[in-house]
Amino acid sequence: MLQTETNRASAAQAYVAEVFETVKRRNPGETEFHQAVKEIVDSLVPVFEKHPVYMEQGILERLVEPERLIHFRVPWTDDKGKVHVNRGFRVQFNSSIGPYKGGLRFHPSVNASIVKFLGFEQILKNSLTGQPIGGGKGGSDFDPKGKSDAEVMRFCQSFMTELGKYIGSDLDVPAGDIGVGGREIGYMFGQYKRIAGGNEAGVLTGKGIGYGGSLARTEATGYGCIYFVNEMLKSKGLSFDGSKVVVSGSGNVSIYAIQKATQLGATVVACSDSNGYIYDPTGIKFETVQRLKEVERKRISEYVNEHPTATYFEGCSGIWTIPCEIALPCATQNEIDADSARKLVANGVQAIGEGANMPSTLEAIDIFHANDVLFGPAKAANAGGVAVSALEMAQNSMRYAWSFHEVDDKLHAIMKNIYTSSVKAADEYGHPGNLVIGANIAGFLKVANAMLAHGIV
Ligand code: NDP
């Protein structure tokens, strides 16, 4: 018996190692994709030990290979008539449990590695929400910063002219991400509608409220992250009330994380953008950040002109040297490295909630776990955005709209459920308290079982 268990454990480890080596060989230089795969496959070893059928049916080697990767040219003209060419991507990673679903990112750093890492994470995240949505992601190396509205519109129209051939409300439903907010979704929806020749509301989510959007979608990722962290805190008798919180970024996720944490009694002492961060010991005012970043599209440094209690510092990583009990990385991938993690721990951090995708390096996560810091991984903690996107699809299908409170209540229930199913899976597979492993396993099982049911496809 003991011998059989040992054999199974080494077979599972060898299987995972072999699949990971193949991923590296087939996707050379795609470091972000390798990192995302590594984090997930390592935590699945106990699953393969317990259920060898997943190995026998090649579930993992199929899971790490996108069903489809679309790569296209996006030509557009600026206001002076100069022609520019950007690259567009869409990775349709896995449709076992529903249509591909995942955001579009417009940022100069976007390439195949970035969209694959995001798309791969999205498979298990979407599964964790309990809703019928598969995993996808896309975007472009276009930078909307500093462009006029007319330039952004022409770019979005050109992007959608090509992407529109591959999406649909039962096929693939994109949404926003970094650099893609309500304005960009509006332009893309307008172009899709024109090409498709009808109003297929469910083809994109994150739409404006007046044309098929869901109430509480804008707030969903930030609020959802706070609801998730609140569950983690409660498990240790802690709470947001009276705590000091640091939130990186000042975009969609950060703004609403700041608002909800403040509503729950926390003092959010810092937030940032890609140039620097602001520190205000009296608490960051949500309304100012929202107006500066969402409406006026200005830099976070301008905050100090309106609030003399705040100070601005150049550079991003310094934000993690500010003492806090709760840290919420809500900006971008790999923003907390081992050094920043050590500083947070030395300053007494008790909980990390990943609002952004993969904001902590693998070394940083190890440091948090080794120091008993509560750690809410991205695919669980930031799943609120895609969860409400799926609720937007449901409302579009019903041709009916729920109130803000109805959507927010559903979001709250979904985040609690993600927390409890992650805790349960971590317990069942021998890693109590490890939500990275728990979330990966809970998300994986549903997808793997659907793949088994569908045969080798
Ligand atoms: P936004 O474009 O709205 O905001 C991104 C913010 O992060 C901006 O303030 C940006 O600053 C800042 N930023 C970018 N790079 C850095 C950096 N290196 N250091 C500090 N700040 C930086 O994007 P979102 O808020 O939508 O997305 C943020 C993260 O959350 C991403 O990882 C995204 O994938 C993830 N996410 C988003 C969801 C959503 O519903 N929107 C859902 C789930 C995850 P600047 O203004 O200078 O560019």
Side-chain angles (χ1 to χ4, degrees):
M1 178 65 188
L2 203 60
Q3 184 60 34
T4 316
E5 277 176 16
T6 314
N7 288 348
R8 275 191 173 192
S10 50
Q13 254 152 13
Y15 173 62
V16 160
E18 190 190 323
V19 172
F20 183 57
E21 283 311 309
T22 308
V23 167
K24 284 203 291 188
R25 184 170 46 75
R26 278 200 174 147
N27 305 277
E30 298 187 355
T31 51
E32 295 86 0
F33 181 45
H34 301 170
Q35 183 183 340
V37 171
K38 177 85 180 135
E39 186 227 275
I40 290 176
V41 298
D42 280 354
S43 47
L44 297 178
V45 170
V47 178
F48 299 124
E49 276 176 41
K50 207 165 167 177
H51 312 288
V53 64
Y54 296 134
M55 289 193 279
E56 290 151 19
Q57 294 297 311
I59 295 290
L60 193 55
E61 47 272 61
R62 287 191 278 143
L63 193 74
V64 297
E65 191 61 30
E67 288 174 15
R68 199 170 296 111
L69 176 62
I70 301 148
H71 178 174
F72 50 96
R73 183 174 69 196
V74 191
W76 59 280
T77 43
D78 66 21
D79 289 343
K80 297 195 178 95
K82 182 173 170 3
V83 176
H84 298 261
V85 177
N86 283 97
R87 287 185 152 183
F89 298 89
R90 186 72 183 166
V91 60
Q92 298 182 332
F93 228 117
N94 193 295
S95 60
S96 307
I97 62 170
Y100 310 106
K101 181 90 197 85
L104 296 170
R105 177 177 290 191
F106 291 169
H107 191 271
S109 64
V110 167
N111 56 31
S113 175
I114 298 279
V115 294
K116 280 196 225 167
F117 116 64
L118 291 164
F120 187 62
E121 287 259 313
Q122 199 82 41
I123 305 169
L124 302 192
K125 179 189 305 190
N126 292 2
S127 164
L128 271 176
T129 67
Q131 290 157 303
I133 39 178
K137 199 83 189 189
S140 171
D141 57 0
F142 173 75
D143 188 357
K145 241 182 274 164
K147 307 287 190 302
S148 70
D149 282 352
E151 288 171 331
V152 171
M153 180 182 75
R154 285 195 293 275
F155 173 81
C156 288
Q157 290 175 341
S158 180
F159 183 84
M160 184 50 88
T161 301
E162 189 59 27
L163 182 71
K165 298 169 187 164
Y166 309 100
I167 61 175
S169 48
D170 289 318
L171 171 63
D172 184 355
V173 184
D177 190 77
I178 292 179
V180 179
R183 174 182 61 170
E184 290 76 15
I185 292 288
Y187 291 146
M188 286 191 275
F189 185 69
Q191 183 70 353
Y192 183 83
K193 195 166 68 58
R194 192 176 176 202
I195 295 168
N199 191 324
E200 184 189 340
V203 71
L204 287 174
T205 60
K207 300 181 292 294
I209 300 304
Y211 62 94
S214 173
L215 288 163
R217 173 60 187 91
T218 308
E219 292 83 355
T221 311
Y223 280 20
C225 182
I226 300 299
Y227 296 151
F228 188 89
V229 172
N230 205 28
E231 294 303 306
M232 295 200 301
L233 294 172
K234 279 198 285 187
S235 74
K236 295 274 185 230
L238 304 168
S239 83
F240 273 102
D241 197 17
S243 65
K244 247 188 257 142
V245 178
V246 167
V247 178
S248 65
S250 49
N252 173 260
V253 181
S254 319
I255 289 171
Y256 295 96
I258 294 172
Q259 185 190 33
K260 186 52 77 178
T262 308
Q263 282 172 2
L264 295 185
T267 305
V268 179
V269 293
C271 72
S272 59
D273 63 19
S274 55
N275 294 116
Y277 65 94
I278 51 167
Y279 171 65
D280 187 344
T282 68
I284 305 274
K285 310 295 172 293
F286 148 80
E287 296 82 0
T288 311
V289 179
Q290 184 192 34
R291 175 174 44 77
L292 284 174
K293 299 295 288 191
E294 255 183 16
V295 183
E296 298 170 4
R297 298 181 190 279
K298 289 187 172 158
R299 308 310 300 159
I300 200 64
S301 54
E302 308 241 359
Y303 182 96
V304 300
N305 301 335
E306 300 180 38
H307 297 283
T309 47
T311 318
Y312 176 72
F313 298 88
E314 278 291 330
C316 297
S317 62
I319 196 169
W320 307 120
T321 62
I322 298 170
C324 62
E325 284 91 40
I326 301 163
L328 306 174
C330 295
T332 194
Q333 62 272 3
N334 292 329
E335 51 173 316
I336 301 187
D337 60 8
D339 247 16
S340 299
R342 278 188 212 102
K343 282 180 189 133
L344 282 162
V345 169
N347 284 329
V349 76
Q350 294 170 330
I352 310 287
E354 293 193 318
N357 280 312
M358 209 167 74
S360 314
T361 63
L362 295 172
E363 295 76 23
I365 297 173
D366 287 344
I367 291 168
F368 293 134
H369 280 147
N371 287 280
D372 286 329
V373 175
L374 293 164
F375 184 77
K379 71 174 66 61
N382 74 25
V386 74
V388 173
S389 273
L391 297 178
E392 181 173 331
M393 290 162 71
Q395 293 169 84
N396 293 152
S397 299
M398 290 190 295
R399 305 199 182 282
Y400 183 74
W402 288 315
S403 70
F404 187 97
H405 288 294
E406 281 172 298
V407 179
D408 192 31
D409 285 351
K410 290 183 202 306
L411 168 66
H412 207 153
I414 290 167
M415 298 313 295
K416 278 186 172 182
N417 191 44
I418 293 175
Y419 175 76
T420 46
S421 52
S422 303
V423 168
K424 188 162 164 265
D427 282 350
E428 264 177 39
Y429 286 84
H431 294 273
N434 187 324
L435 297 179
V436 173
I437 294 183
N440 284 339
I441 294 178
F444 171 79
L445 288 173
K446 188 174 157 197
V447 175
N449 290 335
M451 289 174 76
L452 279 186
H454 297 163
I456 311 293
V457 291

